[in-house]
Amino acid sequence: MRRLRDASLSRKLTAIVMITSLFALAMAATGFVLYDRVSFRDGLVNQRSLLADMVGATSMAALAFKDQVEGRELLKALRVEPHVIGAAIYDAQGEPFAIYRRDGEPPFAAPPVASDRAVFQNGHLLVFRRIVLDGKTIGTVHIESDLDELQSRLRRYIAIVMGVTAVSSLLALLLLSPLQGIVSRPILDMGATARRISDQKDFSVRASKYGDDEIGALVDAFNAMLDRVQQRDDEAREARTHAETANRAKSAFLANMSHELRTPLNGIIGYSEMLTEEAHDRGLDDLVPDLERIQTAGKHLLNLINDILDLSKIEAGKMRLHIERFDVLPLIRDVVSTVQPMAAKNGNTLTLDLPNDADRLAIVSDLMKIRQSLWNLLSNASKFTHGGRVSLSVRQQMVAGAPWITFAVGDTGIGLTPEQIGRLFEEFVQADSSTTRRYGGTGLGLAISRRFCRQLGGEITVESAPGGGSTFVIHLPCVTVENEATLELAPSA
């Protein structure tokens, strides 16, 4: 059975080689025929153009003296060209002066006169050449030829190609027959080895070697490649194990440290608020700015710790969704009231563009994640815009038969270059170092917002130009379906 199977595979290999060889031969022959056809057509155009020039040169006197009889006699000389169907000489006004038609052809209808050109039309070659005397056009010569010579040449070449192909196929088959076993056996063995590796994922398998010829060298190279693949597979498996262990340790560390840091930070923020109130009550206004800086720094650190913890949960696939139905208008009012002081601090105007039915607009999703994403976008827009406009637009639309909602946050701020947009959603990355020095920030807000939106089945897009502001758009389905309590997130761009 194995011999029968190997023999069948050998025949298949022979058939593939034969088909490939025939295809290559056919392509080469086709290219040769096409090249010869183009070359012959070009040569035919040159011949007919030269013939037209000769007729034009000899007909100058007839045109000058308006001797139509002489013109017709000149055209009769074209009888020596059996493929010339008809010809005509036109005067300076474009009217036919003399006409010639090949014997046995119907009367020749001279086409409208044209400038110097040659065109293949309806299986004929039409050539027009001007007759110029002392720099002035005194007439035009037109010659029309059939393409019988080209067709005859093409049929002859096709017959030659078919004959060569038949002979080449027979010779190739005779030469391949004794080589089937020598070539096919090691190749078939390599194919079986490759299939076994693919099916069983066992990179310890090696192909058998049958000789020290070129096929043997190919087998050696194949086995050497398997050695490297096996080594890298082992290294990758070990590295993945270490990475998973390190990631679990990192997540546990961040969770514990976040808890340990947030507790004293909340205390610092609370005490700073109490001390600020007490300083106001006692009239110690000179201490208030320092106490407010402590409070601001504490809140900044607390937000940073929360962002790092969220990012760690997302990377570990442990960020849970809390799906609920809620109205959109209260969410918008809550976020806007929170961001309004930041916008006013930089002299910005915050505007809303809501649909007419905004008070009836409700969605089923994770309220806190949408709120945090909107706050991140609006706070960024307020931070990077000075004395300008920040806008929030809400729209509902149908996408593939399902309702979706979009939140568009626009600003008239510094804008972004295409290069900056390309790395905008990476963790701990901002537009550039100058932006970080001037505006601060950690570069986590946008990365977390995009991952939240993707977890909810949506996306964030951005359009911007340097100095022309930016527009960030959150696209979300109005109904988020949570298949599992813990979702596996798409990798961030």
Side-chain angles (χ1 to χ4, degrees), residues 47-73:
Q47 292 177 8
R48 295 297 179 259
S49 298
L50 180 59
L51 181 61
D53 289 337
M54 294 173 59
V55 172
T58 57
S59 62
M60 288 183 182
L63 282 171
F65 294 103
K66 299 182 179 179
D67 188 351
Q68 292 182 322
V69 175
E70 179 65 19
R72 286 192 291 270
E73 289 298 323

Side-chain angles (χ1 to χ4, degrees), residues 158-411:
I158 291 176
I160 293 173
V161 167
M162 293 179 63
V164 171
T165 301
V167 173
S168 300
S169 301
L170 180 60
L171 291 176
L173 185 60
L174 293 175
L175 291 174
L176 279 174
S177 298
L179 297 177
Q180 289 182 7
I182 299 175
V183 176
S184 62
R185 185 178 180 185
I187 293 178
L188 292 174
D189 185 72
M190 289 177 59
T193 303
R195 286 193 298 272
R196 180 179 175 185
I197 294 172
S198 177
D199 295 338
Q200 302 179 6
K201 308 300 180 183
D202 183 7
F203 294 101
S204 63
V205 180
R206 297 294 181 267
S208 301
K209 184 177 178 180
Y210 296 92
D212 295 326
D213 53 8
E214 288 80 0
I215 301 297
L218 178 62
V219 173
D220 289 337
F222 180 74
N223 289 333
M225 179 189 67
L226 291 178
D227 291 336
R228 291 192 295 270
V229 171
Q230 182 181 9
Q231 180 182 358
R232 293 184 180 181
D233 183 67
D234 295 339
E235 293 174 353
R237 188 181 297 108
E238 183 179 358
R240 184 167 57 251
T241 302
H242 288 319
E244 292 173 353
T245 303
N247 189 58
R248 287 193 296 269
K250 182 197 70 174
S251 299
F253 171 77
L254 289 175
N256 293 331
M257 287 303 299
S258 298
H259 174 73
E260 296 297 330
L261 290 174
R262 280 189 292 186
T263 300
L265 274 176
N266 285 324
I268 292 173
I269 294 171
Y271 279 121
S272 63
E273 290 175 349
M274 293 171 56
L275 290 174
T276 302
E277 294 177 359
E278 186 174 352
H280 278 300
D281 295 339
R282 294 187 178 185
L284 302 175
D285 294 337
D286 56 333
L287 298 178
V288 172
D290 293 331
L291 293 173
E292 289 179 344
R293 291 190 186 96
I294 295 174
Q295 183 178 346
T296 301
K299 290 181 177 180
H300 176 75
L301 286 175
L302 185 60
N303 289 333
L304 176 59
I305 292 171
N306 289 333
D307 286 344
I308 293 176
L309 183 60
D310 286 342
L311 183 62
S312 176
K313 289 181 178 179
I314 292 173
E315 290 180 345
K318 302 298 182 182
M319 178 61 72
R320 298 181 180 275
L321 295 180
H322 301 282
I323 304 299
E324 58 181 314
R325 187 183 187 278
F326 58 89
D327 294 328
V328 174
L329 188 57
L331 165 66
I332 297 300
R333 289 173 176 170
D334 181 27
V335 175
V336 169
S337 63
T338 305
V339 176
Q340 184 66 54
M342 183 181 297
K345 179 181 178 182
N346 287 339
N348 298 320
T349 302
L350 182 57
T351 61
L352 290 178
D353 181 12
L354 303 177
N356 295 329
D357 60 346
D359 56 339
R360 299 192 302 273
L361 188 59
I363 62 176
V364 178
S365 191
D366 191 313
L367 172 63
M368 297 306 297
K369 289 179 175 55
I370 296 178
R371 183 186 185 281
Q372 183 173 346
S373 299
L374 285 175
W375 187 89
N376 286 337
L377 295 183
L378 285 169
S379 62
N380 278 350
S382 301
K383 179 170 64 173
F384 294 112
T385 305
H386 291 267
R389 179 176 55 85
V390 177
S391 63
L392 173 60
S393 173
V394 182
R395 291 290 182 271
Q396 189 177 28
Q397 57 187 351
M398 300 299 292
V399 177
W404 281 60
I405 189 169
T406 60
F407 302 91
V409 177
D411 63 66

Side-chain angles (χ1 to χ4, degrees), residues 310-321 369 427 447-458 484-493:
D310 286 342
L311 183 62
S312 176
K313 289 181 178 179
I314 292 173
E315 290 180 345
K318 302 298 182 182
M319 178 61 72
R320 298 181 180 275
L321 295 180
K369 289 179 175 55
E427 294 87 355
I448 292 175
S449 298
R450 168 173 275 191
R451 295 203 176 192
F452 280 170
C453 291
R454 289 181 172 179
Q455 190 177 14
L456 296 173
E484 299 178 4
T486 302
L487 299 184
E488 195 70 31
L489 301 183
S492 65

Side-chain angles (χ1 to χ4, degrees), residues 145-163:
S145 301
D146 61 33
L147 301 179
D148 292 346
E149 186 177 2
L150 176 62
Q151 300 300 329
S152 176
R153 188 184 184 93
L154 182 60
R155 288 192 294 270
R156 185 167 63 255
Y157 278 148
I158 291 176
I160 293 173
V161 167
M162 293 179 63

